[in-house]
Amino acid sequence: MEKNILKGNLKIINIGLKSFTEAFEGKDKGKGSVASWAHVDFRPPLISDASLFKIIDHRREQIEAANKEAMRRIFSGRPFLVSVSRAIDVIPGMQPNSIFHAGPPVDWENMCGPMKGAIIGALLYEKIARNAEEAEILAAKKGSIKFSPCHEHKAVGPMAGIISPSMPVFVVKNEEFNTFAYATMNEGLGKVLRYGAYDEGVIAKLRWMEDILYPVMKRTVEAMAGKIDLKSIISQALHMGDEVHNRNRAATSLLYRQLAPLICKVSNADDAFAVLNFINGNDHFFLNLSMAAAKSMLDVANGIKYSSIVTVMARNGTEFGIKVAGLDSNLWFTGKAPIPDALFFPGYSKEDANPDIGDSAITETLGVGGFAMASAPSIVQFVGGNVSDALKFTLSMYEITSSENSAFQIPYLNFRGAPAGIDIIKVIEKNILPVINTGVAHKLAGIGQVGAGVLNAPTEPFKKAFLKFVETIK
Amino acid sequence: MAFKEGVIQGLIRKGEYYDSVSLMIISKKIREEKGVFDSSVVMCTEENKKNLRDANLFLEEFENAEESDLLVAIRASSASLANELLKKLEKEIKILNKGGDDSDYDSGADPSRAGRRSENCDYKNFEGAYQKGLKEEANLALISVNGKYAGDVALKALNKNMHVMLFSDNVSLETEIELKQLAQQKNLLVMGPDCGTAIIAGVPLAFANEVSRGSIGVLGASGTGMQEVTTLISNFGEGISHAIGTGGRDVKKEVGGISFLMALKMLKEDVQTKVILLVSKPPHKEVMDKIIKEIDKTKSVVAVFLGASDVCNSCDNNNNNIIFRDNLYEGALTAYKIARGEGANIDDEMKKLNEESDKIAKLESEKIKKGAKYLRGLYSGGTFASEAQLILDFNGDSNNDGDNDEELYSNVPTAKSKRLSDVKVSTKNTIIDLGEDEFTLGKPHPMIDYTLRNERFLKEINDPEVAVIMLDYVLGHGSHKDPLSDTISILQKAFDILAKEKRYISILTTVTGTAKDPQNSEKVKEALRREGVIVVDSNFQMSLIAKKVITYGKKHIKG
């Protein structure tokens, strides 16, 4: 390093105003005046109290060790689809009057339109209420329906994420740790319960899923004797243009290939035709499985003292909540859910959009979804239209993650592992928020999906979690 | 009153941070829209909140916003227009949000290089830039982040054994001293805080010009002053070895000239530097003594300590190694002549310049009508505003004919001028530094954006008591990219008004820059001349002519 800058050979780091680098252009040639430079796109930390960072620094070694352990557990997870069962039979803590929902806890009064709609639909489906009015009265009556977040019952649900007792659910087992995670089966697009629709067609489809899809899937999956390796499907799908959140076409196809022969074997021709047709017609059939797989892999990192890794990001349409491995796993850190700035279907705009909703951000928590955007060039219109935009999203997430998942590789980055393990300390220090791919629900119950896009997690939950974390490690 | 007019609409974008220049460019675009009275896009600091209140752009919902939030406010003729523009603005912000262009990351045609990053590109943090970008060989940090964070970033750089240029202002004196003491231990240079200009080994840093390289080393605690002398020297035909800035506070007692003295030593030891030119407001006596002590016969030193002729005469300069000059032009000329081996005497050149200025002033003064008797200086360069007051040397106490026509007012008054009671209203002879906080808070600096000055300019044009207006055009890196686009139409408008009212105002301009600057000073000068304004090469000459026009104007009217 040339220390006497007057001798030339300047190597400049420019921090702040990018325009200052314009003067350096062309200065790297010519006699004597050599300047190379790197620009830092400076963002102030989300919390600038230096004393808090001193506490972090003091515990740096323990934190690093804890995070290493958290990532070891997450990466060693082996999620398999092992069964399909009725929710009440398998999900811990589910009771006949339970309804589980996406995101952090929320009571009926504070629920958003689509979540209320989905709950009405679930009460109709369960025949607990005869009509929508009755359902609403019942739901509003304190204590009559037990609302609880899916995440507090080892379950996850996309959008409203409603799970009611009779619903069939995928049972995913993390073979490495003998733990389980649960998710409903995906209903497809259009008017569906998870977007808050509850008309007769929606309920009829749920019944078909219970009557036809469920038994066929149960027999099929059990006949495969636990050989449906979800991690393997996700790894392959990432090489095939999926990020397994907003694009599941490849993963669904891979699953379909595995299921089809046995579906034909275990069911009559009509049912087999109907079930295969249903899966074939729903590109997002795998979504609920990628979510359950992610849930099963992340859950095992909870309870590692000093770990600053995020194990849950989830939204209920009102609030956005996170959980952190090193903090009490009962604690949610929440903030207002942002309204997605998305691409809207014709006829809809941001005015119609509900604040962000769903447990599907569990995919980003694992390091796929928006974090693996660079794997999914066919959906780059969500992030600005260019492949380089998608690349930037993924690259920027390496800044706030603890590690790279060598099982989930990104071809366009020379098969570099996807960024994994969101570290709240890095989020705060660098002021870079996780990116989340998302579908957008209409804010009114019953209308359904109005768009899709990308958004950043809000700052508040991370700030709250950071403050609690510092307090805990003092 | 325009200040109260219209409907205010705004929004908060949570947790979004942008540098102030980007924001100013956006808010300028919106302000140019029809039906918009004012607009502002700022980070939610306490300071900015106050400005929004002062500008009647504050919304109740801003009260609870956090520091990391972005506040957007528009005051427009109707709510619907304001809302429409808010949407447009959000789009602009979104473009910023996507960050830079594709050069951020190497994601180009060659996939094998994808995601690999190299030098001359963008990083998210200092560490990445240091390790990956410059392979741990970085030797200078140019810091222009918000003053609140600038100290921490500078500390990081010093700990990596890098020299530092702190463009940021609003860094506390405490922090400045701390940084400079640490730097001193490590034998590193800290330029700034509030250091606007430097040229190191031919590389312009922040607001600096493309000047020829040569043997004159400039050391200064004054940004515009350094731009003036470096461009003058370059245009004379000599060159600059380095121009090292220290920030204005360095030469005060508290900091004790740590950086000034270190830079002086560096220039003394630098083989390329043959002559040293010091440019600064008067240093504190103790600092001055240290500077004088440091200067020996090894290299010629010319010093311009603006407004300090008394201090200089009294200071201990018995070995006569320093040549003191009163203004930037004389300082630059002297350094140039010494570098050329022509001695330090500049009497002939100054006599010639005086005669030439006299000629111009006489011609101008003849066009001025009765009642017009005052001058107004509308400066973007702070040093110029001080220098002008010193050159004008108006003395309000001694008036020739009973009225106080020679009173000089300013928002940055020097010894003989008075403070303006309202910076927005000129009084008698007035010199304004439009770069002062009272004008720039939440708005772009007048070197970047002429909107503020253009408004004030038209106000002065409409004042029948005005005889002379002085304008500085500071070119170079960092400054307004296309100064003519914001100048020509306003000059034409001014001349239209004057023609209609059968008045004349002598409009004097000085252009600080070189033909190699991005804006090309020759092109700017030529275009200004075409519009009928006087264009000179230095603030010194502009001020000289202004003074003469006022003096001759009175005689001419009386005669």
Side-chain angles (χ1 to χ4, degrees), chain B residues 263-283:
Chain B
L264 188 55
K265 272 184 207 149
M266 287 167 75
L267 287 176
K268 271 170 68 185
E269 286 160 16
D270 179 52
V271 284
Q272 228 199 342
T273 304
K274 307 276 187 266
V275 182
I276 298 172
L277 173 57
L278 310 177
V279 177
S280 169
K281 283 181 186 164

Side-chain angles (χ1 to χ4, degrees), chain A residues 55-86:
Chain A
I55 297 171
I56 298 271
D57 280 336
H58 182 65
R59 294 278 184 203
R60 195 62 85 170
E61 265 175 46
Q62 281 135 308
I63 294 170
E64 271 167 24
N67 287 347
K68 215 173 158 190
E69 169 61 13
M71 295 322 294
R72 186 197 67 76
R73 291 193 200 172
I74 293 168
F75 290 160
S76 61
R78 292 189 294 123
F80 286 78
L81 172 59
V82 293
S83 178
V84 186
S85 290
R86 284 160 68 87

Side-chain angles (χ1 to χ4, degrees), chain A residues 3 11 17 37 39 463, chain B residues 66 120 123 139 144 163 186:
Chain A
K3 203 177 160 190
K11 291 189 181 290
L17 300 174
W37 54 273
H39 174 69
K463 283 189 192 171
Chain B
E66 292 175 75
N120 299 9
Y123 292 85
N139 49 18
S144 53
H163 301 278
K186 294 173 154 265

Side-chain angles (χ1 to χ4, degrees), chain B residues 374-377 385 389 392 394 396 404-414 416-423 425-433 456:
Chain B
Y374 295 129
L375 66 85
R376 304 282 153 86
Q389 293 176 61
L392 290 168
F394 280 1
N404 256 0
D405 280 357
E406 288 211 345
E407 272 184 336
L408 183 58
Y409 288 84
S410 176
N411 62 332
V412 285
T414 55
K416 283 182 180 171
S417 11
K418 294 179 175 152
R419 185 170 290 278
L420 278 173
S421 58
D422 179 354
V423 297
V425 183
S426 297
T427 308
K428 295 191 177 173
N429 302 291
T430 294
I431 300 289
I432 299 278
D433 174 6
R456 182 68 173 245

Side-chain angles (χ1 to χ4, degrees), chain A residues 162-462:
Chain A
I162 298 303
I163 307 177
S164 66
S166 318
M167 287 182 185
V169 291
F170 289 126
V171 179
V172 171
K173 185 179 182 190
N174 184 340
E175 297 281 3
E176 188 68 22
F177 297 90
N178 268 319
T179 56
F180 291 88
Y182 310 91
T184 51
M185 292 194 280
N186 195 289
E187 312 156 72
L189 289 171
K191 276 197 169 184
V192 285
L193 190 77
R194 69 176 187 278
Y195 281 98
Y198 56 81
D199 65 19
E200 278 173 27
V202 175
I203 306 300
K205 188 190 259 178
L206 290 176
R207 294 218 194 290
W208 175 85
M209 287 170 74
E210 186 182 342
D211 296 341
I212 309 294
L213 181 65
Y214 165 49
V216 170
M217 286 298 292
K218 187 176 179 69
R219 286 198 297 272
T220 305
V221 170
E222 283 170 8
M224 294 184 79
K227 284 200 199 100
I228 304 175
D229 182 344
L230 299 175
K231 192 174 182 177
S232 160
I233 292 179
I234 293 171
S235 302
Q236 293 174 64
L238 290 175
H239 289 186
M240 297 164 74
D242 278 1
E243 37 68 275
V244 297
H245 184 173
N246 264 9
R247 191 181 196 269
N248 281 287
R249 179 171 286 188
T252 300
S253 304
L254 291 170
L255 179 71
Y256 182 94
R257 265 174 51 177
Q258 290 191 40
L259 295 176
L262 274 157
I263 286 176
C264 294
K265 198 176 171 189
V266 300
S267 43
N268 66 46
D270 283 351
D271 287 354
F273 174 80
V275 167
L276 286 171
N277 214 19
F278 177 77
I279 298 173
N280 183 40
N282 178 9
D283 280 340
H284 280 302
F285 191 76
F286 188 79
L287 171 63
N288 299 32
L289 283 168
S290 76
M291 288 170 59
K295 174 71 177 162
S296 77
M297 291 170 80
L298 287 158
D299 258 1
V300 295
N302 278 324
I304 302 174
K305 201 181 173 191
Y306 294 122
S307 172
S308 53
I309 301 296
V310 175
T311 55
V312 170
M313 291 196 290
R315 313 84 95 200
N316 59 29
T318 307
E319 282 192 314
F320 186 113
I322 68 169
K323 285 173 183 277
V324 177
L327 297 174
D328 182 347
S329 64
N330 294 315
L331 291 180
W332 286 93
F333 302 95
T334 61
K336 212 173 143 201
I339 295 177
D341 222 346
L343 286 180
F344 289 96
F345 299 161
Y348 295 104
S349 71
K350 200 173 175 181
E351 317 281 298
D352 303 304
N354 195 74
D356 200 21
I357 183 168
D359 285 335
S360 56
I362 196 70
T363 56
E364 278 82 10
T365 317
L366 182 67
V368 288
F371 283 50
M373 199 60 212
S375 268
S378 64
I379 55 167
V380 293
Q381 64 269 31
F382 291 138
V383 294
N386 293 316
V387 172
S388 59
D389 295 324
L391 201 58
K392 262 183 238 173
F393 270 87
T394 293
L395 288 172
S396 66
M397 289 302 102
Y398 287 109
E399 300 285 341
I400 53 165
T401 45
S402 162
S403 189
E404 301 178 7
N405 191 340
S406 56
F408 298 155
Q409 300 157 344
I410 296 171
Y412 199 66
L413 293 178
N414 266 337
F415 298 95
R416 184 177 177 182
I422 301 163
D423 183 343
I424 54 166
I425 299 172
K426 289 185 177 175
V427 170
I428 297 297
E429 272 177 346
K430 299 188 179 177
N431 192 353
I432 298 174
L433 278 308
V435 291
I436 293 167
N437 285 356
T438 193
V440 187
H442 197 286
K443 63 185 174 189
L444 300 176
I447 295 181
Q449 188 175 6
V450 293
V454 176
L455 52 73
N456 281 106
T459 56
E460 212 185 336
F462 291 89

Side-chain angles (χ1 to χ4, degrees), chain B residues 13-219:
Chain B
R13 287 180 70 97
K14 282 273 172 203
E16 292 192 3
Y17 177 82
Y18 304 96
D19 73 67
S20 51
V21 170
S22 310
L23 295 179
M24 285 162 182
I25 291 166
I26 288 182
S27 83
K28 187 186 172 215
K29 269 190 200 167
I30 296 298
R31 225 174 295 140
E32 282 166 355
E33 296 274 347
K34 248 190 182 165
V36 175
F37 300 116
D38 204 353
S39 80
S40 187
V41 185
V42 290
M43 295 308 299
C44 180
T45 60
E46 281 307 315
E47 213 175 36
N48 285 336
K49 275 202 215 172
K50 187 188 164 286
N51 296 327
L52 288 176
R53 273 195 202 96
D54 292 348
N56 189 23
L57 279 169
F58 197 79
L59 292 168
E60 233 173 78
E61 65 214 67
F62 291 170
E63 205 64 66
N64 294 322
E66 292 175 75
E67 265 196 33
S68 58
D69 295 346
L70 181 70
L71 305 181
V72 181
I74 295 177
R75 188 151 41 78
S77 54
S78 73
S80 61
L81 175 68
N83 277 324
E84 194 186 302
L85 290 173
L86 275 180
K87 273 186 197 151
K88 196 170 162 186
L89 224 145
E90 277 203 285
K91 248 185 223 158
E92 295 276 347
I93 294 170
K94 243 171 125 178
I95 292 168
L96 278 187
N97 213 357
K98 279 169 67 181
D101 47 27
D102 291 359
S103 68
D104 274 24
Y105 299 103
D106 191 348
S107 55
D110 179 2
S112 70
R113 281 180 55 78
R116 302 253 178 82
R117 298 183 283 184
S118 58
E119 62 187 33
N120 299 9
C121 67
D122 289 11
Y123 292 85
K124 294 278 179 203
N125 59 58
F126 187 87
E127 282 299 321
Y130 183 78
Q131 281 164 11
K132 293 182 215 157
L134 295 170
K135 316 286 184 286
E136 309 202 349
E137 287 189 331
N139 49 18
L140 175 66
L142 172 51
I143 300 167
S144 53
V145 304
N146 184 314
K148 203 172 133 186
Y149 310 105
D152 281 348
V153 180
L155 192 62
K156 252 185 214 171
L158 290 173
N159 283 330
K160 301 269 189 213
N161 288 312
M162 294 165 70
H163 301 278
V164 167
M165 172 161 169
L166 265 171
F167 176 83
S168 315
D169 57 1
N170 293 318
V171 175
S172 73
L173 182 65
E174 251 180 337
T175 308
E176 176 171 355
I177 293 170
E178 215 173 285
L179 291 172
K180 285 185 173 171
Q181 284 174 347
L182 175 68
Q184 198 175 23
Q185 284 167 25
K186 294 173 154 265
N187 202 20
L188 293 166
L189 182 66
V190 174
M191 297 183 272
D194 204 10
C195 175
T197 303
I199 302 168
I200 304 292
V203 180
L205 300 168
F207 283 68
N209 300 79
E210 288 289 340
V211 298
S212 305
R213 295 205 72 190
S215 63
I216 300 173
V218 177
L219 168 53

